């Protein structure tokens, strides 16, 4: 790989290039994009590798006075990463302990540079700020890959919004609190008693340290598996919030078959989320609420139908909110927030469930639904054979304007098809020799050289010597796909064996542009397929119900 030329005025630059000439890490650039509304918007590239106008970025950096010097939190993160590698949770726990007790000589594996920076933060009275910066960097580093210890910022924002006004004397509980982000985000900063439990001792320790450094005095974090070893058996909270572990079939069903918490039915092995939901409800005081983050599939999976029916029948499920796709950055699937309320007394049960569909909203847009995005569904209408609690289904059925919806779908489908053809890149004949038949390099070697990061769902470039779209394009190629696919057909990315051709940066970008266009073409094609299915289904439904009828051009000619 050859060195990339310095960006010239008027050119486009990647996030890696911004990081290089600003003297920060790529994570810092990602944080700027997330934190600052005035950060320049991308003017090209794809979602995975956006391009920015250099002049706009330089003007923004000058305005923000972002100089060449690395900030102390960046220096600290780099020092911790160098010493601890991938075990950054242990690094954070050790760092937090030193921030709380800077005179301590028990610094774990903290390198000297980290100790210096941490003690410097304490001397400057910035230990709380440093703790928050470390938590944000940890969240940003793992959020794309997904982690049960970290609740994504947009999910935190949504739960906080729907928690609304939490009384200063309330008790808030999170039975799977991770590093404490969700627990410490709902309600007023001071006042509420906050109780949590976390199975990972390092995560629990860091959560305790975060609370202490933030000056939160009424926070207690217990360690242990909440389902198997509940450390709060007598706690009844005013608000229980939880972003539970997902896709965990080993949640202890066989050990807990006769547990009294299964008030609405014993969950199957595949329905761990419904076990966490009932655990949370068991810790709710009369009149108290549960706000639980749920995978969208929990709303309709056959295995959970009986428990869903009981939640509805007893009037404890009050609201289901479908959040915009991408709220959890580790995947694009929509997530739901389920709200339960324990009745104060008999007769205080809900008589309907409010269904809110925000799936068409902007990711960071308003969380207050428009009238057409919400409907109160009577309980009896939910208690059919499926007990499907997907908000979109009920909102569409109750408020759909079939004519307008069908016209909108036809227009969007027509536009998407028109643009689809434009996206397919023009390719010319090659020499008939595979790119990987020539000089190539393994992704493992690139990673060891610091040119590739694995924090994303796919590897990304960490250097201006390597184009991300070029990298990902060849990793999706036939040779690497075969290498990563087992005899049973299971695909698992093989970082050790995957290889990419050696090319200079200009040639990489030429290939990268083609791969990026193909990626956008595939995404658009999937959207066309979705729209086609939706339009056909809507047309059949409307024709069958009488809400639509054939257009004039579809009518048979009158008989002579």
């Amino acid at each position: 790989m050859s060195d990339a030329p310095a960006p010239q005025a008027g050119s486009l630059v990647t996030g890696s290039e911004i990081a290089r000439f600003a003297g920060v890490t790529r994570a810092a650039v990602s944080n700027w994009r997330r934190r600052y509304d005035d950060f320049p918007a991308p003017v090209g590239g794809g979602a995975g590798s956006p391009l920015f106008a250099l002049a706009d970025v330089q003007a923004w950096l000058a305005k923000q006075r972002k100089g060449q010097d690395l900030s102390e939190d960046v220096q600290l993160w780099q020092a911790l990463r160098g010493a601890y590698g991938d075990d950054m949770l242990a690094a954070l726990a050790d760092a937090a302990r030193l921030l709380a007790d800077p005179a301590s000589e028990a610094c774990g594996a903290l390198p000297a540079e980290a100790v210096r920076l941490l003690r410097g933060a304490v001397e400057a009275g910035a230990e709380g700020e440093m703790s928050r910066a470390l938590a944000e960097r940890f969240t940003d580093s793992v959020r794309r890959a997904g982690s049960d210890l970290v609740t994504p910022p947009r999910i935190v924002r949504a739960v906080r919004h729907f928690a609304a006004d939490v009384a200063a004397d309330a008790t808030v509980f999170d039975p799977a609190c991770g590093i404490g982000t969700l627990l410490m985000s709902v309600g007023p900063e001071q006042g509420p008693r906050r109780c949590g439990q976390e199975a990972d001792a390092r995560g629990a320790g860091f959560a305790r340290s975060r609370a202490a450094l933030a000056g939160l005095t009424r926070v207690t974090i217990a360690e242990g598996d909440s389902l198997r070893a509940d450390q709060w058996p007598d706690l009844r909270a005013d608000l229980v919030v939880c972003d539970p572990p997902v896709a965990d079939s080993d949640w202890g069903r066989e050990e807990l078959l006769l547990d009294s918490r299964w008030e609405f039915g014993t969950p199957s092995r595949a329905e761990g989320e419904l076990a966490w939901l009932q655990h949370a409800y068991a810790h709710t005081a009369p009149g108290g609420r549960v706000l639980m983050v749920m995978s969208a599939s929990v709303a309709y999976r056959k295995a959970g139908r009986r428990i869903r029916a009981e939640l509805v029948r007893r009037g404890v499920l009050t609201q289901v909110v479908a959040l915009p796709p991408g709220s959890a950055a580790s995947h694009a699937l929509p997530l739901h927030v389920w709200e339960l309320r324990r009745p104060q007394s008999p007769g205080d049960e809900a008589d309907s469930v409010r269904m809110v569909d925000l799936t068409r909203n902007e990711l960071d847009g308003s969380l207050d639904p428009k009238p057409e995005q919400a409907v109160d569904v009577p309980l009896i209408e939910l208690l059919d054979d499926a007990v499907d609690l997907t908000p979109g289904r009920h909102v569409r059925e109750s408020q759909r304007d079939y004519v307008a919806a069908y016209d909108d779908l036809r227009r969007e489908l027509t536009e998407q098809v028109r643009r689809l053809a434009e996206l397919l890149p023009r390719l010319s004949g090659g020499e008939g020799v595979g790119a990987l038949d020539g000089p190539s390099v393994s992704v493992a070697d690139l990673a060891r050289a610091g040119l590739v990061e694995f924090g994303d769902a796919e590897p990304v470039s960490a250097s201006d010597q390597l184009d991300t779209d070029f990298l990902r394009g060849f990793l999706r190629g036939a040779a690497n796909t075969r290498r990563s696919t087992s005899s049973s057909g299971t695909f698992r990315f093989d970082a050790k064996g995957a290889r990419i051709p050696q090319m200079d940066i200009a040639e990489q970008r030429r290939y990268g542009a083609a791969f990026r266009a193909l990626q956008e073409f595939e995404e658009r094609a999937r959207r066309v397929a979705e729209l086609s299915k939706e339009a056909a289904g809507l047309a059949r439904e409307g024709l069958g119900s009488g809400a639509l009828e054939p257009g004039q051009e579809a009518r048979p000619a009158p008989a002579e």
Side-chain angles (χ1 to χ4, degrees):
M1 308 286 176
S2 65
D3 292 336
Q8 300 297 313
S11 65
L12 302 181
V13 290
T14 65
S16 296
E17 289 169 331
I18 295 172
R20 178 176 59 80
F21 65 72
V24 298
T25 63
R26 291 182 71 253
V29 176
S30 297
N31 283 337
W32 291 346
R33 293 185 63 194
R34 179 163 49 88
R35 292 180 185 176
Y36 297 101
D37 294 336
D38 62 341
F39 190 88
V43 296
S49 182
L51 296 173
F52 304 86
L54 175 60
D56 293 344
V57 172
Q58 289 175 325
W60 186 86
L61 290 170
K63 177 182 174 183
Q64 295 291 330
R65 295 188 174 89
K66 302 292 184 186
Q68 292 289 329
D69 294 333
L70 291 174
S71 63
E72 291 189 349
D73 62 303
V74 173
Q75 295 178 54
L76 176 58
W77 183 264
Q78 291 178 339
L80 294 174
R81 175 70 78 180
Y84 288 80
D86 292 334
D87 192 11
M88 289 303 293
L89 191 56
L92 266 58
D94 289 344
R97 279 194 292 271
L98 193 64
L99 286 171
D101 182 12
S104 172
E105 295 300 325
C107 300
L110 290 172
E113 177 65 6
V115 172
R116 182 187 69 78
L117 290 165
L118 289 165
R119 287 176 172 160
V122 174
E123 291 173 4
E127 56 267 41
E129 182 178 342
M130 183 64 82
S131 174
R132 284 192 295 273
L134 289 175
E136 288 181 7
R137 287 191 173 279
F138 179 71
T139 298
D140 189 63
S141 69
V142 302
R143 65 188 174 88
R144 293 190 180 94
S147 170
D148 291 333
L149 289 163
V150 172
T151 299
R154 290 187 178 104
I155 302 298
V156 173
R157 172 178 175 255
V159 173
R160 185 169 58 232
H161 176 84
F162 293 110
D165 297 325
V166 178
D169 60 350
T171 296
V172 180
F173 177 51
D174 184 344
C177 67
I179 63 172
T181 302
L182 187 57
L183 177 63
M184 289 182 258
S185 295
V186 296
E189 185 171 313
Q190 299 294 340
R193 176 193 178 201
R194 303 177 195 271
C195 306
Q197 184 166 341
E198 172 51 45
D200 190 301
R202 301 166 305 168
F206 184 54
R208 284 191 288 265
S209 298
R210 289 182 68 190
L213 292 167
L216 301 177
T217 58
R218 302 188 68 199
V219 178
T220 308
I221 309 293
E223 296 177 15
D225 184 325
S226 284
L227 296 184
R228 290 183 172 93
D230 187 1
Q231 300 299 305
W232 301 94
D234 300 321
L235 178 67
R236 300 295 178 266
D238 302 292
L239 176 65
V240 182
V241 295
C242 188
D243 179 12
V246 296
D248 180 14
S249 60
D250 185 24
W251 55 267
R253 184 179 190 275
E254 287 71 20
E255 306 162 45
L256 303 168
L257 281 174
L258 302 179
D259 198 288
S260 61
R261 288 171 291 181
W262 314 145
E263 183 177 342
F264 305 100
T266 304
S268 69
R269 284 177 58 87
E271 297 292 333
E273 294 98 333
L274 291 176
W276 283 98
L277 184 72
Q278 294 188 78
H279 172 74
Y281 186 76
H283 282 288
T284 308
R289 296 181 297 148
V290 174
L291 287 172
M292 179 76 62
V293 180
M294 295 289 237
S295 302
S297 59
V298 183
Y300 59 80
R301 285 196 301 240
K302 185 176 181 180
R305 184 189 65 81
R306 185 167 62 87
I307 294 176
R308 293 196 302 272
E310 282 300 301
L311 291 167
V312 171
R313 186 176 292 114
R314 297 196 195 182
V316 301
L317 180 67
T318 60
Q319 180 168 257
V320 180
V321 181
L323 300 176
S327 294
S330 59
H331 55 76
L333 297 177
L335 289 176
H336 293 175
V337 175
W338 289 26
E339 181 172 350
L340 277 60
R341 179 180 176 274
R342 183 179 288 277
Q344 288 271 18
S345 58
D348 188 34
E349 299 85 358
D351 57 8
S352 64
V353 177
R354 185 167 178 79
M355 295 289 179
V356 179
D357 182 10
L358 303 178
T359 55
R360 293 184 179 273
N361 284 21
E362 294 293 331
L363 269 176
D364 296 312
S366 173
L367 292 168
D368 292 317
K370 299 174 183 177
E372 66 272 16
Q373 292 178 308
V375 60
D376 294 318
V377 184
L379 304 187
I380 190 65
E381 293 185 13
L382 295 170
L383 294 172
D384 56 14
D385 290 339
V387 196
D388 189 340
L389 302 179
T390 304
R393 171 188 172 186
H394 301 283
V395 171
R396 286 193 300 271
E397 288 179 357
S398 67
Q399 300 183 3
R400 169 165 280 176
D401 181 338
Y402 280 84
V403 175
Y406 187 65
D407 286 345
D408 288 345
L409 277 171
R410 288 189 84 244
R411 278 194 296 270
E412 185 178 356
L413 184 56
T414 301
E415 176 64 15
Q416 293 282 6
V417 170
R418 182 187 68 78
R419 297 173 66 185
L420 184 64
E422 298 173 355
L423 282 173
L424 196 60
R426 294 184 180 276
L427 303 175
S428 58
E431 298 177 0
V433 178
L436 286 174
D437 293 336
S440 64
V441 61
S442 74
V443 175
D445 286 341
L446 292 174
R448 281 191 289 271
L451 302 182
V452 168
E453 291 181 354
F454 290 93
D456 206 340
E458 296 182 84
V460 296
S461 167
S463 166
D464 53 15
Q465 301 178 52
L466 180 64
D467 182 83
T468 291
D469 292 309
F470 166 83
L471 168 68
R472 289 181 170 179
F474 276 105
L475 290 181
R476 294 191 186 108
N480 284 315
T481 299
R482 285 194 299 270
R483 185 179 289 110
S484 299
T485 304
S486 68
S487 58
S488 63
T490 302
F491 179 85
R492 184 182 181 87
F493 175 66
D494 178 13
K496 183 178 294 185
R499 303 187 70 82
I500 63 171
Q502 290 180 298
M503 295 183 185
D504 62 37
I505 189 65
E507 191 70 357
Q508 287 181 43
R509 286 175 176 160
R510 196 166 71 90
Y511 273 85
F515 284 131
R516 184 167 60 249
L518 287 172
Q519 176 70 15
E520 293 177 6
F521 175 81
E522 290 175 329
E523 291 172 359
R524 185 88 60 184
R526 283 192 289 269
R527 180 60 179 154
V528 167
E530 292 168 0
L531 286 170
S532 301
K533 183 178 180 180
E534 187 177 352
L538 177 65
R540 290 192 181 95
E541 185 179 323
L543 290 168
S545 66
L548 297 172
E549 64 176 25
Q552 186 65 39
E553 68 277 8
R555 297 178 187 274
E560 292 294 337

